[in-house]
Each structure stands twice: as structure tokens, then as C-alpha cells.
């Protein structure tokens, strides 16, 4: 079968023929119906190296996947052949204390495993068939379109986890700032509107992205720039926001988040741009809580799928054939995608 493979660090992925995978004894084979193209894949191709990620190469890209079960190993209780499922992306050991509570993102044995999951050091979904090592990693999607379900596993789950961290602070009259209205940001806006009464303020450098966010339910938009913080302080009546979700992670966005987080507010740093900002007594308001977050838990993926099945959130996708995947990543790099690019290897 044809697969989009990362063969060397700091090179573009290439399409090549690979053998179809074998059925893992306690897992499943999935006919991939949607494999989301994530911004992190660009970092995998252009920025990371063996020192930053100690994963083996080559591997097939695609860590946001949904499809149909075409072979099922043991322990597939509640699952059946032909069923449509989303694949939980971060694959931990399954039995350490973190994995036991579904927090496989923070698996205690990650270093020993030597990979982050399918598409992250192990073969992912940018091929017609994908092997999933354990059936615990599959979440049925009912009648959701698998092309739209695929991005829920990362572009949906990652901001959902960050929002949940602050949910108790997002009371009526509160405000949440979403920085970056791309693949994750367009989901963050909908998630915030679905689960909280907070006023949602979206920041981006692109006017089209801000218009898109307004369409998805954002209450206010702010153009990123020198005036962004004063604009947000005005919108929040001089108090700042209870939650800042930074989906970019550049020096400028981290600094903006620190300027606009309210006393006792939260900043969740999700974006991988690699920025930083100094932290000291006078750099934020009192008791601002800052955390980096990575993906979300298995139970949270079930919650995200439930939100989508209830019609409360929906990923906006542009689909591309496997042969067009490299072109899709180029569009992403140029900031020309609206919502999420999803590769459909079986179309
Ligand atoms: C992938 C690879 C490396 C770091 C982070 C990621 C995220 O896209 C996972 O959500
Ligand atoms: Zn990702
Ligand atoms: Zn583990």
C-alpha cells in the first residue's frame, strides 16, 4: 500500500509503497477514512531531530485518525468488524498510573516505549490501513463522518483538555481568550461555547481566520499586534480573562497571555512554536496559574466525540487524497487552510 513516510529528520515526508500491517493480537486493523494533517507534522518534518524526539525512523505520518475496523484481535469487547471508530492518538504502556487514569499522554514508560503513538514514531494513518496495538485506543463514532471525526482526536481533544483545566473558572460573566484560530483554534471556540458561558475572545494575525472564528460563535475578535492586550483588557472591562488558551506558543503570544490573564486566571500553553517569557513577581497578575498541556485523556476523547455526536461541535475540514498530502502541508505552511486538512487514503 502507499504511505506518507517520514524517512529522515528535517526533510519532507515522501509517498512510498510499504507492506500492509499485520493484525496486532489485542488490537485492530483500521481502514483509514480520515487522517488529519496536524501542524506538529510540519515541526516533525522541518524542526525536530533525533535529540528532540528519540523516536526511530522511518514511520508513516498521521496521528489524528478515524476509520472502519477491518480486523479485530482479542479483547475487542463492544467493538465489531465494520464499525467506525476514532483512534486515541497518544499510545502509552496502558498499565502505569498515568495510563490507568487514561492520561496516556503522560505515560510513565514513554521513554522506554520510544514513540508517541501512531504517526509519532510508529506507523500512523496516512496509508490505507493502520494497525492499532490495543483496542482500548478505539472510540466508536456512531454515525459521525469519519473525515470530520479524525480531527476530533487531536485538534478537538487538545483544546478540550486545556478548556477543562479551567472550566471551574469559566463562570457566567467570565472571559476566555483563544490565541490562534487555525485547526485547534476553530475547535477551541466551539468547545468553549458548548461547555461554558464564558465570553470567547479570539486573537489571530489573519483577518480571514478572525472572520472564520466569528462564524463559529466567537463573541469578539482581536487582531494580534501591539494593541492586542489593551483591546482585550477593554473587552474584559479592565479585569482580564479567566482563561487564556495559547494555541501558538510564540514569545509574543505567551507574553500577550501573561498581560491579559486575570488575577487567579489560567494560561494553558498548547502551541509548539517554542517561545518563552520571563516569569517573576510583576510579570502576571496575582495567582495566575500557567501550564503547558499536551493532548488529552482517553475519557476526554469520549467526551469530545459525545459533543460532536450531539451536534455541539463540528470540525471544518478540507479533504485531500493521499497523493495530495504534501501539497496540503504546503498550504498549511503558507497559512492558506481554513480549518483542518484531512487526508482520505481510501478515496
Ligand atoms: C505531536 C508531535 C510532537 C509534539 C506534539 C504533537 C501534537 O500534535 C500532539 O497533539
Ligand atoms: Zn497533533
Ligand atoms: Zn503508561
Amino acid at each position: 500500500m502507499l504511505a506518507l513516510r517520514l524517512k529522515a529528520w528535517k526533510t519532507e515526508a515522501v509517498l512510498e509503497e510499504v507492506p500492509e500491517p499485520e493484525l496486532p493480537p489485542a488490537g485492530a486493523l483500521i481502514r483509514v477514512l480520515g487522517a488529519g494533517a496536524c501542524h506538529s507534522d510540519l515541526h516533525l518534518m522541518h524542526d525536530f531531530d533525533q535529540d528532540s524526539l528519540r523516536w526511530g525512523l522511518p514511520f508513516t505520518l498521521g496521528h489524528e485518525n478515524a476509520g472502519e475496523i477491518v480486523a479485530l484481535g482479542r479483547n475487542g469487547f463492544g467493538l465489531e468488524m465494520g464499525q467506525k471508530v476514532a483512534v486515541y492518538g497518544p499510545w502509552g504502556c496502558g498499565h502505569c498510573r498515568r495510563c490507568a487514569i487514561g492520561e496516556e499522554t503522560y505515560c510513565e514508560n514513554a521513554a522506554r516505549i520510544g514513540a508517541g503513538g501512531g504517526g509519532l514514531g510508529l506507523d500512523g494513518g496516512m496509508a490505507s490501513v493502520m494497525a492499532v496495538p490495543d483496542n482500548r485506543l478505539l472510540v466508536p463514532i456512531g454515525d459521525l463522518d469519519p473525515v470530520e471525526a479524525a480531527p476530533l482526536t487531536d485538534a478537538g481533544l487538545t483544546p478540550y483538555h486545556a478548556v477543562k483545566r479551567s472550566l471551574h473558572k469559566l463562570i457566567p460573566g467570565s472571559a476566555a481568550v483563544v490565541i490562534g484560530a487555525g485547526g485547534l483554534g476553530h475547535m477551541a471556540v466551539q468547545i468553549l461555547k458548548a461547555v461554558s458561558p464564558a465570553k470567547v475572545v479570539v486573537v489571530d494575525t489573519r483577518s480571514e481566520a478572525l472572520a472564520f472564528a466569528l462564524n463559529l460563535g466567537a463573541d469578539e475578535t482581536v487582531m494580534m499586534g501591539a494593541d492586542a492586550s489593551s483591546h482585550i483588557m477593554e473587552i474584559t472591562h479592565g479585569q482580564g480573562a479567566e482563561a487564556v488558551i495559547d494555541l501558538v506558543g510564540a514569545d509574543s503570544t505567551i507574553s500577550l497571555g501573561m498581560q491579559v490573564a486575570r488575577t487567579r486566571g489560567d494560561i494553558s500553553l498548547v502551541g509548539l512554536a517554542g517561545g518563552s517569557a520571563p516569569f517573576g513577581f510583576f510579570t502576571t497578575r496575582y495567582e495566575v496559574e500557567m501550564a503547558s498541556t499536551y493532548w488529552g485523556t482517553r475519557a476526554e476523547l469520549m467526551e469530545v466525540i459525545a459533543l460532536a455526536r450531539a451536534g455541539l461541535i463540528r470540525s471544518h475540514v478540507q479533504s485531500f487524497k493521499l497523493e495530495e498530502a504534501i501539497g496540503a502541508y504546503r498550504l498549511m505552511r503558507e497559512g492558506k487552510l481554513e480549518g483542518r486538512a484531512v487526508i482520505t487514503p481510501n478515496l
Side-chain angles (χ1 to χ4, degrees):
M1 63 178 185
L2 207 53
L4 185 71
R5 313 263 295 163
L6 186 67
K7 302 196 74 174
W9 298 113
K10 298 198 196 271
T11 60
E12 254 182 9
V14 292
L15 274 176
E16 67 174 1
E17 283 291 328
V18 294
E20 282 203 13
E22 286 183 12
L23 174 66
L29 292 181
I30 305 298
R31 183 169 160 262
V32 182
L33 299 172
C38 178
H39 210 272
S40 327
D41 296 331
L42 288 182
H43 292 298
L44 291 179
M45 289 187 246
H46 301 288
D47 304 317
F48 294 151
D49 57 23
Q50 198 61 38
D51 290 333
S52 33
L53 292 170
R54 296 175 184 280
W55 304 338
L57 290 172
F59 61 86
T60 302
L61 287 177
H63 59 269
E64 307 191 314
N65 305 299
E68 180 186 7
I69 298 177
V70 290
L72 191 58
R74 67 181 145 78
N75 297 340
F77 309 114
L79 298 169
E80 54 195 52
M81 294 285 284
Q83 196 172 18
K84 304 246 172 45
V85 289
V87 181
Y88 178 70
W91 297 349
C93 70
H95 52 78
C96 73
R97 280 184 304 178
R98 294 289 181 211
C99 287
I101 56 168
E103 232 172 42
E104 302 205 20
T105 40
Y106 307 142
C107 173
E108 291 169 358
N109 292 311
R112 258 171 277 182
I113 294 172
L120 301 171
L122 297 169
D123 289 341
M126 297 213 178
S128 43
V129 181
M130 174 185 183
V132 178
D134 195 293
N135 289 317
R136 74 172 191 280
L137 303 165
L138 302 177
V139 180
I141 60 170
D143 55 10
L144 283 181
D145 173 0
V147 179
E148 290 184 10
L152 297 175
T153 65
D154 182 5
L157 176 57
T158 302
Y160 182 77
H161 178 76
V163 167
K164 249 193 125 173
R165 191 182 156 245
S166 304
L167 206 48
H168 60 294
K169 298 184 182 179
L170 296 176
I171 56 176
S174 65
V177 172
V178 174
I179 306 179
L184 273 70
H186 93 282
M187 296 306 300
V189 171
Q190 298 177 67
I191 290 165
L192 280 161
K193 295 308 288 183
V195 302
S196 90
K199 181 188 279 183
V200 177
V201 184
V202 179
V203 184
D204 204 293
T205 51
R206 301 160 298 158
S207 49
E208 324 79 73
L210 293 177
F212 182 42
L214 275 181
N215 268 334
L216 294 171
D219 297 292
E220 302 274 356
T221 57
V222 170
M223 182 56 76
M224 181 63 186
D227 300 335
S229 71
S230 53
H231 192 169
I232 294 169
M233 292 312 291
E234 245 170 66
I235 291 170
T236 57
H237 311 292
Q239 298 302 316
E242 277 72 6
V244 176
I245 317 279
D246 183 351
L247 303 167
V248 180
D251 291 354
S252 58
T253 60
I254 297 173
S255 148
L256 175 64
M258 291 172 77
Q259 288 165 51
V260 302
R262 184 185 180 131
T263 305
R264 286 191 190 277
D266 286 345
I267 300 173
S268 293
L269 174 55
V270 178
L272 291 181
S276 60
F279 173 62
F281 199 85
F282 300 107
T283 57
T284 62
R285 293 183 182 79
Y286 293 118
E287 296 196 35
V288 167
E289 296 181 60
M290 291 189 268
S292 56
T293 70
Y294 178 60
W295 230 322
T297 70
R298 271 199 301 127
E300 284 168 348
L301 177 57
M302 295 174 190
E303 294 165 29
V304 169
I305 300 285
L307 275 180
R309 291 183 70 175
L312 293 168
I313 59 170
R314 182 171 179 190
S315 42
H316 290 250
V317 299
Q318 274 178 261
S319 58
F320 296 84
K321 296 198 171 112
L322 187 53
E323 292 77 4
E324 300 167 333
I326 288 291
Y329 282 114
R330 289 197 186 134
L331 288 176
M332 183 190 290
R333 228 178 160 193
E334 292 160 11
K336 290 188 182 153
L337 290 172
E338 193 176 271
R340 201 60 152 179
V342 176
I343 311 306
T344 54
N346 281 293
L347 282 188

